[in-house]
Amino acid sequence: MSDDAQQKAERNARRLQAIAQVRGRAQSAAGTVTVEADVNGTITELRISPAAMSAEPDRLAKAIAQCHETARQRAQDEGVRLYTELLDAPETALRQPAPDPRDTLDSPGWEEPTPLRITHSV
C-alpha cells in the first residue's frame, strides 16, 4: 500500500473512531425516563426513575420508545455533522477528541447538569 493510501486509511479510521463516540440523549418531560443512544441507534444508557415504575406499562413503554427515537435521531444528526466536518479537516483536527453531543443539544426537553462551582481557600 502506498504512503498516500496508508495515510487515507488511517485518517478514515480516526474519523470512524470519532463518530463511534457520538451519543444522543433524550429525556421525558418529567425526567422519569432518560435514554442515550449511539449513531447506530443502540441504547448505551437507559434510566428509569422509581416514580415511572408506577405508571401504566403501555405509557412507560411509549415514553421509552419516544426517548429512544429522539436520542437515536440526535446521535445520527451529530454523527453526520461530525463526519462532514472531518471529511476535509486538516490532520490536526482529527487528533482532537470528538465533541460531546450532550454539549450541543438545546432542545426544550434537555436538562443541563448544574455547573460545578470551583472554589479555593487557603
Side-chain angles (χ1 to χ4, degrees):
M1 186 182 296
S2 72
D3 285 341
D4 189 43
Q6 178 71 25
Q7 288 176 341
K8 285 181 181 179
E10 289 171 1
R11 287 182 70 190
N12 193 49
R14 285 191 296 275
R15 278 186 204 108
L16 293 175
Q17 183 180 18
I19 292 168
Q21 296 188 26
V22 169
R23 299 290 183 266
R25 182 176 281 250
Q27 187 174 62
S28 63
T32 56
V33 174
T34 303
V35 177
E36 182 182 87
D38 65 15
V39 293
N40 296 315
T42 302
I43 295 174
T44 56
E45 184 178 343
L46 173 63
R47 292 181 184 224
I48 302 171
S49 75
M53 301 309 288
S54 63
E56 296 174 20
D58 289 343
R59 190 172 178 192
L60 178 58
K62 186 175 181 177
I64 293 169
Q66 288 175 338
C67 285
H68 176 235
E69 176 58 22
T70 301
R72 182 201 62 76
Q73 187 63 53
R74 288 176 177 171
Q76 193 173 50
D77 291 349
E78 179 64 14
V80 168
R81 186 202 65 75
L82 181 61
Y83 180 80
T84 302
E85 182 180 301
L86 293 177
L87 191 58
D88 295 318
E91 188 63 27
T92 55
L94 293 176
R95 293 186 185 146
Q96 298 172 356
D100 186 343
R102 291 174 282 195
D103 292 340
T104 60
L105 298 177
D106 58 357
S107 80
W110 178 251
E111 295 178 8
E112 291 292 330
T114 305
L116 177 64
R117 174 164 257 191
I118 299 174
T119 59
H120 178 72
S121 62
V122 178

